Amino acid sequence: MMFKVPRGTKDLLPEETGKWQAVESLIRETCRLYRYEEIRTPIFEQTELFTRSVGDTTDIVQKEMYTFEDRGGRSLTLRPEGTAPVVRAFVEHKMFGSPDQPVKLYYMGQMFRYERQQAGRYRQFVQFGVEAIGSASPAIDAEVISLAMDVYQRAGLKDLKLVINSLGDKESREAHREALIRHFEPSIGEFCSDCQNRLQKNPLRILDCKVDREHPLMDSAPALTDYLNDGSAAYFGEVKKSLDALGIDYVVDPNLVRGLDYYNHTAFEIMSTSDGFGAITTLCGGGRYNGLSEDIGGPEAPGIGFAMSIERFLMALEAEGKMPETESRLDAFIVALDEESRKEAVKILGNLRREGIAADMDYMDRKMKAQMKAADRQKAGFVIVIGEDELKNGAAGVKNMADGTQETVEFGRLAETLKSRS
């Protein structure tokens, strides 16, 4: 039987993983500059964590979660997003008690959603995200957005568009909710069954529907920004002032609705405007989630965060011709000419690696010419040749592959010599 990778997943081969590592290194360095520290949570959580936080009327909960019952009869779910697990850890480990607030965290790892595979969207995918928990300041909203923009810009991306909106506080959202019901109710029979079910439960979700996005009532739907109370409007104004102070360009889109129920106040997305990127332009999305900590049994701890797809990040880099160079460095390749020479090569190889020198040798018993070709393919800086004469003299022939010069070096001085020549 021929096995293949499961639908909606992808193998990352060595020629690709170097690009991933370059992006991950850039992300970690940017987080260091902003003083965000890494957190790692389990790949699966109690199912109720997601149904309570993400929202039982969302597509994620209704259609996309990988949920299973373990042998103890407990319902568990492979994490479809990263915010709820991070806030759960924040509450469980009493991180709200730290004198340093807000608690600034980032994560990077696999998420799982059962959805149709398309360019840059898989059933197992990797997200990088940050969460700043414990502050209700508009300035931290701007910082989180700035961090996301910095990651993309430090990678060389230029074709970016930041879109922001305010979802308001509970009072503002309730007023908007009633307006949406009045707007959609007379024609709700023209919408999909999901939208019909959401009309009374959560009409805001209708605006996020993928099936009915072209319906004329979508464009004329009441904008949440028109229903913001004074406090919510003032908060949004301060976020915009902070973005202006940071020199970050943005567009306000009153129809921007994030797909998770825990969002309130600031919501944002970063999109690619590159011609070669594709139809789905969103690279990153996030927003504020005051109340999430309380919803899962914790104290009041307002938060804001975002998540970005690493797959889509790499697509954007490719579209703009900014894919990182990822050649692996091989300092030395040992060419052994006979069985006794191979035994000595193994010993020398170990010594070189202990000295921090990237080295390799032939394990296929190939002739000298084939071994030299292998060294050239792997772009070795130096080739070390060991044969019968070299064993007698205790010294190897060393060829500099850059300029073709050769010298004889005692076995015990190989590491020292290679370091001095590089």
Side-chain angles (χ1 to χ4, degrees):
M1 179 178 177
M2 179 73 174
F3 291 99
K4 292 186 177 182
V5 67
R7 183 177 178 82
T9 65
K10 181 181 179 182
D11 293 318
L12 294 177
L13 304 182
E15 56 265 28
E16 294 179 88
T17 53
K19 300 169 186 175
W20 281 70
Q21 289 164 1
V23 165
E24 290 163 358
S25 295
L26 181 147
I27 285 170
R28 294 182 191 282
E29 173 58 16
T30 306
C31 287
R32 185 189 70 81
L33 296 175
Y34 279 73
R35 297 294 295 158
Y36 283 71
E37 298 180 302
E38 185 178 12
I39 185 170
R40 302 186 184 190
T41 63
I43 283 179
F44 57 86
E45 299 270 358
Q46 295 177 52
T47 299
E48 190 179 4
L49 174 66
F50 299 113
T51 57
R52 291 185 64 176
S53 60
V54 173
D56 58 7
T57 62
T58 61
D59 281 349
I60 291 176
V61 170
Q62 290 188 341
K63 303 176 182 179
E64 298 172 2
M65 294 202 313
Y66 282 92
T67 298
F68 62 96
E69 189 175 283
D70 72 2
R71 295 187 179 186
R74 292 169 287 260
S75 180
L76 302 173
T77 295
L78 298 180
R79 61 186 182 196
E81 58 93 35
T83 298
V86 171
V87 176
R88 189 267 309 150
F90 172 86
V91 172
E92 181 175 351
H93 300 287
K94 297 180 172 58
M95 299 174 78
F96 48 82
S98 168
D100 297 318
Q101 298 289 326
V103 175
K104 295 167 35 166
L105 305 167
Y106 79 90
Y107 60 86
M108 201 152 21
Q110 286 86 1
M111 307 292 163
F112 304 85
R113 295 185 192 177
Y114 188 88
E115 56 185 346
R116 184 172 62 86
Q117 181 177 337
Q118 50 191 300
R121 181 170 287 177
Y122 299 91
R123 292 175 178 177
Q124 175 181 303
F125 55 98
V126 178
Q127 276 188 348
F128 155 61
V130 308
E131 313 294 347
I133 310 172
S135 171
S137 168
I140 197 71
D141 296 32
E143 177 181 280
V144 165
I145 294 171
S146 175
L147 193 161
M149 292 293 288
D150 269 2
V151 166
Y152 291 130
Q153 290 168 344
R154 285 163 61 86
L157 295 180
K158 297 185 182 299
D159 299 335
L160 299 170
K161 178 183 178 182
L162 169 63
V163 178
I164 65 172
N165 189 25
S166 174
L167 303 180
D169 60 10
K170 186 175 181 180
E171 178 185 277
S172 302
R173 291 180 66 154
E174 184 58 32
H176 183 235
R177 177 183 180 277
E178 295 302 323
L180 287 174
I181 292 174
R182 290 194 299 270
H183 177 76
F184 286 113
E185 193 167 31
S187 305
I188 195 63
E190 300 171 10
F191 286 75
C192 70
S193 58
D194 286 338
C195 287
Q196 293 178 35
N197 291 332
R198 290 167 180 165
L199 179 65
Q200 297 297 331
K201 293 182 179 178
N202 194 345
L204 191 64
R205 292 273 66 79
I206 295 175
L207 300 178
D208 201 37
C209 180
K210 299 178 178 66
V211 176
D212 295 314
R213 65 177 66 184
E214 302 300 327
H215 195 286
L217 285 180
M218 291 295 201
D219 290 335
S220 59
L224 207 158
T225 46
D226 293 335
Y227 291 84
L228 296 181
N229 57 24
D230 291 344
S232 295
Y235 190 96
F236 192 39
E238 290 301 316
V239 173
K240 290 185 284 187
K241 286 179 183 178
S242 294
L243 291 173
D244 292 338
L246 290 167
I248 298 175
D249 294 330
Y250 58 86
V251 175
V252 177
D253 180 359
N255 293 321
L256 173 63
V257 179
R258 298 295 302 145
L260 311 178
D261 280 0
Y262 52 61
Y263 284 119
N264 47 62
H265 285 296
T266 309
F268 68 93
E269 289 185 356
I270 300 173
M271 305 173 181
S272 171
T273 59
S274 177
D275 291 338
F277 185 70
I280 302 175
T281 60
T282 302
L283 296 173
C284 167
R288 181 161 279 283
Y289 46 83
N290 300 351
L292 179 56
S293 173
E294 298 96 303
D295 285 347
I296 61 174
E300 181 181 356
I304 182 168
F306 69 76
M308 66 171 63
S309 160
I310 303 298
E311 289 87 351
R312 300 188 70 75
F313 191 172
L314 289 165
M315 283 178 60
L317 290 171
E318 185 173 12
E320 292 195 36
K322 300 293 184 180
M323 195 67 81
E325 299 286 334
T326 59
E327 281 189 5
S328 60
R329 182 176 62 89
L330 180 62
D331 298 320
F333 190 95
I334 303 176
V335 172
L337 304 182
D338 54 42
E339 186 60 35
E340 289 302 314
S341 299
R342 278 191 284 275
K343 293 177 183 178
E344 185 64 30
V346 169
K347 179 181 176 181
I348 292 172
L349 192 64
N351 290 334
L352 293 178
R353 289 168 173 168
R354 280 189 288 272
E355 291 293 327
I357 295 170
D360 206 351
M361 63 176 284
D362 175 69
Y363 291 101
M364 302 301 292
D365 295 338
R366 288 177 283 204
K367 301 296 183 183
M368 180 178 181
K369 185 177 180 180
Q371 292 187 57
M372 293 297 292
K373 285 183 177 180
D376 191 53
R377 278 196 309 275
Q378 296 182 45
K379 296 182 173 59
F382 294 86
V383 169
I384 300 169
V385 179
I386 305 173
E388 186 177 345
D389 291 342
E390 286 75 17
L391 287 175
K392 285 181 182 179
N393 298 325
V398 177
K399 180 179 180 179
N400 186 323
M401 298 294 279
D403 58 23
T405 59
Q406 302 185 59
E407 60 184 311
T408 300
V409 180
E410 294 177 3
F411 291 161
R413 295 185 57 249
L414 281 168
E416 174 190 342
T417 301
L418 292 179
K419 286 181 178 180
S420 67
R421 302 287 190 271
S422 60

